[in-house]
Amino acid sequence: MRVPRFLAAALLAVGSLIALAVPAQAAPGKYVALGDSYSSGLGAGSYTNSACRRSAYAYPQLWANALRPSAFSFAACSGAETSNVLSSQISAVTSDTALVTVSIGGNDAGFADVMTDCNLGSDSYCESRNREAQEFARTTLPGRLDAVYKAIRDRAPSARVIVVGYPRIYHLNGTCSLGLSERKRTAINQSSDVLHQVISGRASAHGFTFLNGQTAFAGHEICASGTRWINSVVWPIEESYHPNRAGQNGGYYASLRAITG
């Protein structure tokens, strides 16, 4: 059916008025992603940087793809500790930075080695190694986190800073019939809880927003009945116990979008 010329002109005019009344949303300002493998995307594959294991499916890249910030610096690197953030990542944060995300602290406390020891050692040894890591997290890690958080704020006084927490690795009393014992899974989750308490507490002390990784991944841990968002033991071995693509997307990215709007 042909639309009369005068009606088409009227519709065009109305459309133009609507376009003027509802301006396009401006792109957000500069975004900087700092941290370790949980932010670089180790475990999600398709690495754009082989040394740091920065994945095309990592939540920082997904957020940048969707929101199109005015500038994006993906500085997170697998294996990073707080000292690495201060020595080689923090320079990406500048005074015009609008948003910073950072996940850090797990490597300082040695949780990668703890996971290895729990896979190779006895229940009691696994529990002992987790207690050691938890003690470090309670006593030494807070000062290291403070140094990172202060450096971020000093370099970008007006930026919104979102501290990204770690998920629990296991769903206890879940669906797994093989793998680590329930005693080992419990000890590992207790360490996740300590990290959660310490990191969220220091983030709050600095006035930063905390993204709760335990909530973001709830129901999708190893041994949960839902879709698994965390790798168990996989090959390459370094991708074990890290979020997979679904976890980066449905866990971290979805939570970050909810926080940032």
Side-chain angles (χ1 to χ4, degrees):
M1 182 179 69
R2 296 180 64 184
V3 179
R5 186 177 300 175
F6 76 89
L7 181 56
L11 290 173
L12 179 61
V14 171
S16 299
L17 288 174
I18 292 173
L20 289 172
V22 184
Q25 183 178 0
K30 180 180 178 181
Y31 168 39
V32 179
L34 307 175
D36 55 21
S37 55
Y38 275 68
S39 287
S40 74
L42 177 63
S46 293
Y47 302 116
T48 58
N49 180 291
S50 58
C52 284
R53 293 295 193 269
R54 295 184 188 121
S55 172
Y57 296 95
Y59 76 83
Q61 188 64 62
L62 297 177
W63 192 94
N65 292 345
L67 276 295
R68 302 288 184 183
S70 60
F72 173 47
S73 181
F74 196 175
C77 189
S78 178
E81 299 183 10
T82 51
S83 60
N84 301 119
V85 173
L86 293 172
S87 64
S88 59
Q89 297 184 25
I90 197 67
S91 60
V93 180
T94 51
S95 60
D96 62 337
T97 301
L99 174 67
V100 178
T101 57
V102 55
S103 66
I104 203 69
N107 290 324
D108 290 71
F111 282 108
D113 291 337
V114 167
M115 294 304 301
T116 299
D117 292 340
C118 284
N119 273 275
L120 300 177
S122 65
D123 285 356
S124 59
Y125 182 59
C126 176
E127 290 169 335
S128 173
R129 290 290 289 113
N130 274 279
R131 285 193 296 270
E132 292 172 4
Q134 291 165 23
E135 180 65 15
F136 182 96
R138 292 189 183 98
T139 59
T140 304
L141 185 58
R144 296 189 181 190
L145 294 175
D146 286 342
V148 170
Y149 299 163
K150 181 179 184 301
I152 293 171
R153 180 53 73 218
D154 287 347
R155 294 183 66 87
S158 301
R160 182 172 192 184
V161 181
I162 299 176
V163 174
V164 178
Y166 300 99
R168 288 192 181 97
I169 301 297
Y170 290 99
H171 182 88
L172 299 180
N173 301 308
T175 61
C176 295
S177 58
L178 300 174
L180 300 186
S181 69
E182 198 70 6
R183 279 180 62 183
K184 291 181 178 180
R185 294 171 189 160
T186 299
I188 291 165
N189 273 12
Q190 288 170 345
S191 293
S192 297
D193 291 344
V194 171
L195 271 183
H196 171 87
Q197 294 162 5
V198 171
I199 295 173
S200 63
R202 297 324 304 155
S204 177
H206 287 264
F208 295 164
T209 301
F210 180 69
L211 191 161
N212 189 329
Q214 296 188 345
T215 299
F217 283 76
H220 298 279
E221 308 91 341
I222 299 173
C223 301
S225 58
T227 303
R228 184 177 294 178
W229 286 357
I230 301 174
N231 294 328
S232 186
V233 177
V234 295
W235 187 263
I237 197 67
E238 65 265 20
E239 294 189 355
S240 303
Y241 307 117
H242 283 80
N244 55 29
R245 292 183 187 182
Q248 286 287 338
N249 189 355
Y252 280 143
Y253 170 62
S255 299
L256 182 58
R257 282 300 302 268
I259 290 173
T260 59

